Amino acid sequence: MALVLVVLVAAPLATILVQTLYPSSAAWGDVLASRLSQNLFWRPTVNTMIIGLAVAAGCVLLGGFLAWLVVMTDMPGRPAIAFMATLPFMIPSFATALAWGTLFRNGRVGGAGGLLEGLGFAVPDWLSWGMTPTIAVLIAQYYALAFTVIAAALATVNGDLVEAAQMTGASRKRILFGIVLPVVTPAVIAAGSLAFAAAVSNFAAPALLGLPVRMQTLSTRLFGMIEIGQTERGYVLAILLIGISAIFLGLGNRVLAGRRSFATIGGKGARPRRFALGGARLPLTVIAWIVCILTTILPILLLVAASLAPSSLALFSDWTLHYWIGRPDPAFARGQPGIFYNPQLLSALTTTLGLGMAVALASNVIGILIAVALTRQKVPVLSSLVSQLSFLPMLLPGIAFAAAYIALYGAPIGPLPALYGTKLLLGLALTAATLPFAVQTGRATISQISGDIDEAARMTGAGFLRRLGAITLPLAARGLTAGLLIAFVNVIGDLTITILLYTPTSPLLAILSYSYASDGFYQFANAVTLVILIISMLATGAATLLRGPRRQSFT
């Protein structure tokens, strides 16, 4: 497993570093200290930092607020809010960006405006394009991540602490800032760090909302460099993007390591203690529902309407199914057929589903083997290396990870041919990127299976593969199936990695949607995006059902 992870994770990252230094390191000077560096690195870095910090702060505030309401208050409808607050993370960021454009787009860069402009409102440029919409879209995408992390931490807060503070006469504000926040600070920092890393590496939102007005981030600039053949400069930007993400994740870990820790789970059972919201109960409940509706239901409704309306200016009139099932008509949509009459859709759908299933299977096979190796037998140094390498892709910006795969596997390696432009390269990169999910799911599942069963089978003479196939896999099947579906959902909606690795011979649904949007065919882009959403929602719903609680006991 260590050798597999070296091939999938460590070797590509080492290769981009080597290629920027040998045979020449001129690319570093071009990016950091030349007349081009202002546009190549410094300005995109400033934009990236602003987006990353703003998204991290927004996600923590919004996700933390909803987590507090769901876990620690008497707000009605908490289970429904909790479910709704986790949905945005499964909606691809380019879908939310398209929904934003449907509502707020103006005619600055050509083409039709959005719904608000059609209703007679003068939509300012800062609301249609650039920094503000990019930040808003990414907060709507990643606050679900912060909600999940912070809610899990709040659930461990001992109700006795809150009750003791109330008995001393402490106000709700004092309890919140004096007890609850110090206890969940590690979760808040972790959520902010993860949201920052996700935001700075996101490609879809800044590409769709920023590039039309020439707002560049490190991810879009990296894509541009590799697209025009300046690969060494692109690799330098990839390394710098990885470095920025690593620095902020490291700072978060350093803050956590240097702070006081609080034990919140003890041997005695603790009753949960909820705050009574009193007169604020109704308005806070309304605010929570508005947030969930704006970030989940509204984008999907806008995408549906925009895939049927000939113009975003009149989003709810003259609906037509042409963008879905229309025949080519020179007088309509510049002769573009509906997506189901576009041969690219069928090819992209087949490729996406096949790639998703293949990657999900490959990553989970590797993940279960790593989980078994780490759970059943500890090997000094090697176990730690495998554990760290298996989690590393989670911390790496996706577009930088794709650049690393181009650097290593884009050219022949000895007798092995170049893989660039092949589905195999896409599969390898996506398998490596989804490994953290597979390994964590596998470890959680394998740790629940008593080691005595495996030991008893070993004593009867059963070999490793026999024990794996007859005992481990059947008992872990439910959790592993959920892991397969999680990986599948991540693959079919991925644009950050695939945008660099796809070719016309390997079309994907996400790429087809992005291509439509880039060419100004927003209705077709919305229709393809809805196809992705339907597949994602079906797979995610199945994964949620399979992850439901079920206890097993063995004697």
Side-chain angles (χ1 to χ4, degrees):
M1 289 300 100
L3 291 175
V4 169
L5 289 171
V6 166
V7 171
L8 290 178
V9 179
L13 297 177
T15 302
I16 59 170
L17 179 60
V18 171
Q19 292 200 8
T20 60
L21 299 174
Y22 180 83
S24 170
S25 60
W28 285 93
D30 294 340
V31 171
L32 295 175
S34 72
R35 289 181 298 175
L36 301 173
S37 61
Q38 185 69 21
N39 288 325
L40 276 180
F41 177 68
W42 297 109
R43 192 170 296 162
T45 298
V46 171
N47 291 337
T48 300
M49 295 296 294
I50 292 173
I51 290 172
L53 293 173
V55 170
C59 287
V60 166
L61 290 174
L62 192 57
F65 168 70
L66 291 178
W68 174 72
L69 286 178
V70 167
V71 177
M72 302 206 69
T73 72
D74 62 348
M75 180 188 71
R78 293 187 303 276
I81 292 292
F83 173 73
M84 294 281 287
T86 59
L87 290 181
F89 195 63
M90 82 173 188
I91 301 176
S93 57
F94 63 83
T96 311
L98 288 173
W100 182 280
T102 298
L103 191 60
F104 294 106
R105 187 170 57 244
N106 63 22
R108 173 179 173 179
V109 297
L115 177 62
L116 291 182
E117 192 168 272
L119 294 175
F121 294 97
V123 183
D125 289 343
W126 62 267
L127 191 58
S128 298
W129 310 100
M131 188 74 68
T132 300
T134 300
I135 291 172
V137 164
L138 292 178
I139 290 175
Q141 169 80 12
Y142 295 123
Y143 85 86
L145 178 64
F147 169 83
T148 303
V149 174
I150 296 173
L154 286 172
T156 68
V157 175
N158 195 322
D160 293 340
L161 297 175
V162 177
E163 185 176 8
Q166 290 174 335
M167 292 176 64
T168 64
S171 65
R172 284 181 292 184
K173 180 179 178 181
R174 175 64 174 164
I175 294 172
L176 177 63
F177 289 96
I179 295 177
V180 176
L181 278 183
V183 169
V184 300
T185 295
V188 170
I189 295 174
S193 299
L194 291 174
F196 176 89
V200 300
S201 66
N202 187 277
F203 171 80
L208 291 172
L209 299 172
L211 286 184
V213 291
R214 298 182 180 180
M215 184 200 80
Q216 294 276 4
T217 63
L218 283 177
S219 62
T220 59
R221 179 60 80 187
L222 189 163
F223 170 73
M225 289 294 99
I226 293 180
E227 189 178 38
I228 63 176
Q230 298 184 12
T231 54
E232 288 80 10
R233 292 176 178 176
Y235 296 158
V236 170
L237 290 173
I239 293 170
L240 293 171
L241 183 55
I242 291 172
I244 289 173
S245 298
I247 287 172
F248 273 82
L249 289 172
L251 288 175
N253 291 334
R254 187 175 181 85
V255 170
L256 293 178
R259 70 180 294 278
R260 293 174 60 191
S261 61
F262 300 91
T264 59
I265 302 177
K268 295 175 61 179
R271 294 171 299 167
R273 181 67 58 180
R274 299 189 184 276
F275 291 101
L277 295 176
R281 194 168 183 239
L282 179 60
L284 288 179
T285 302
V286 171
I287 292 172
W289 274 107
I290 288 175
V291 169
C292 291
I293 290 172
L294 289 179
T295 56
T296 54
I297 297 175
L298 182 61
I300 296 175
L301 292 178
L302 288 173
L303 288 174
V304 171
S307 71
L308 299 171
S311 173
S312 298
L313 296 172
L315 202 58
F316 298 98
S317 61
D318 300 323
W319 279 6
T320 174
L321 290 174
H322 175 86
Y323 305 106
W324 290 85
I325 56 174
R327 300 278 187 175
D329 183 356
F332 196 88
R334 286 183 269 174
Q336 288 284 334
I339 62 170
F340 286 111
Y341 280 102
N342 184 345
Q344 283 188 318
L345 179 77
L346 181 59
S347 177
L349 180 62
T350 304
T351 302
T352 301
L353 293 177
L355 186 66
M357 289 186 286
V359 168
L361 180 61
S363 65
N364 277 271
V365 167
I366 298 172
I368 189 65
L369 292 174
I370 291 174
V372 170
L374 295 178
T375 305
R376 294 287 182 249
Q377 186 169 351
K378 301 292 185 180
V379 181
V381 180
L382 197 58
S383 292
S384 178
L385 175 66
V386 169
S387 180
Q388 295 297 325
L389 285 179
S390 67
F391 189 71
L392 185 59
M394 178 74 78
L395 309 179
L396 298 176
I399 198 161
F401 201 52
Y405 264 74
I406 292 176
L408 178 58
Y409 299 113
I413 305 175
L416 300 177
L419 298 181
Y420 184 71
T422 66
K423 295 181 179 67
L424 180 57
L425 182 60
L426 267 172
L428 288 174
L430 290 168
T431 297
T434 54
L435 267 181
F437 302 102
V439 172
Q440 295 306 314
T441 301
R443 293 184 72 173
T445 305
I446 296 299
S447 63
Q448 294 178 335
I449 301 174
S450 173
D452 294 341
I453 304 174
D454 188 78
E455 179 66 18
R458 189 186 65 80
M459 293 177 66
T460 64
F464 171 73
L465 293 179
R466 173 67 174 162
R467 300 197 306 273
L468 183 68
I471 298 175
T472 304
L473 291 181
L475 292 177
R478 188 162 169 267
L480 296 178
T481 305
L484 285 169
L485 292 171
I486 292 170
F488 176 79
V489 169
N490 278 275
V491 170
I492 64 172
D494 184 273
L495 185 64
T496 303
I497 291 177
T498 56
I499 192 65
L500 277 182
L501 300 179
Y502 89 99
T503 64
T505 61
S506 56
L508 298 168
L509 287 176
I511 298 297
L512 184 60
S513 176
Y514 176 73
S515 299
Y516 271 131
S518 300
D519 294 337
F521 297 114
Y522 292 106
Q523 291 92 342
F524 298 99
N526 293 328
V528 176
T529 301
L530 285 171
V531 173
I532 297 173
L533 280 178
I534 291 170
I535 298 172
S536 297
M537 291 174 71
L538 291 174
T540 303
T544 301
L545 291 175
L546 289 169
R547 290 199 309 269
R550 187 180 82 178
R551 299 185 62 183
Q552 301 184 63
S553 60
F554 303 95
T555 57

